Amino acid sequence: MTTSPAHDALHVVDWRRRVARLYAEVRHAAVDDPVVAHALWVTGRDELFAEHPASPLDPAARAAFAGLGVAPYDPAFRFEAEVLPAPGRRLEVPTGTDGVVPFEEVGRVALGALGTLSLWALRSYGGGLFVPCKDATAGRPGGTYGGGRYVLDTTKGADLGSTGGPGARVVVDLNFAYNPSCAYDPAWACPLAPPENTLDAPVPVGELVPHAALVAS
């Protein structure tokens, strides 16, 4: 069954609306119990992938879908990190569908022994904060997606919380790292993790590689 461009656009609008609502519930629940918040997130994403018209899964994969492979929650990978100064580098990311997408490095966060990640601001219409992450298991069997995962993408609703002003802090919980849509469908154009967002350490939490995550019933 084919759909019109208008229907496709409205499906994406609804997807983003539901993602934003899900993350609002996650932020609220995480104040008392991040484990409960994580369970809400897993259930919500499974429902979107299984049922929503804008799911990145094709109809065959959706029919066989039995849930995304997500590691159990580990509180050691949750950080409420101070935003540290950064050199302010810029990225010009070419994509197949959106042209060149500009990002500016607006800060860095220290994640203990794991290392540091850059915070990127989208410098085009919509703005927003973007934090991708690639770890030592990327592309390895049983590991994480080779291009890296997203932790925050506030333009699209993936927002775990932050505070502004002096001593600004941002929640970087790697248990919520998820695969970009291009991991499931090459028709999507996804900015991937740059060197500044590559960790030498393994991050064995969050969503795993797609072929391991999609389990046929």
Side-chain angles (χ1 to χ4, degrees), residues 31-132:
V31 171
D32 295 320
D33 194 337
V35 177
V36 170
H38 188 253
L40 286 172
W41 179 75
V42 171
T43 299
R45 278 179 53 80
D46 280 349
E47 290 175 353
L48 283 168
F49 270 69
E51 302 169 4
H52 200 279
S55 169
L57 303 181
D58 63 31
R62 207 177 306 173
F65 181 70
L68 296 165
V70 180
Y73 191 89
D74 184 342
F77 290 89
R78 178 181 174 86
F79 302 87
E80 296 184 12
E82 182 180 357
V83 178
L84 304 172
R89 289 166 284 207
R90 290 184 66 89
L91 286 178
E92 304 287 337
V93 181
T95 69
T97 56
D98 299 323
V100 176
V101 179
F103 292 93
E104 180 182 355
E105 186 185 30
V106 294
R108 291 183 68 78
V109 289
L111 308 182
L114 295 177
T116 63
L117 294 176
S118 287
L119 311 181
W120 299 93
L122 178 62
R123 293 309 193 201
S124 60
Y125 183 77
L129 189 66
F130 179 56
V131 181

Side-chain angles (χ1 to χ4, degrees), residues 189-211:
C190 303
L192 301 179
E196 295 85 355
N197 289 71
T198 300
L199 301 174
D200 292 332
V203 178
V205 293
E207 189 179 335
L208 305 178
V209 288
H211 68 266

Side-chain angles (χ1 to χ4, degrees), residues 41 133 149-151 173-179 203 205-207:
W41 179 75
C133 177
R149 299 174 290 172
Y150 295 173
V151 183
D173 191 335
L174 300 174
N175 291 279
F176 292 85
Y178 64 94
N179 296 324
V203 178
V205 293
E207 189 179 335

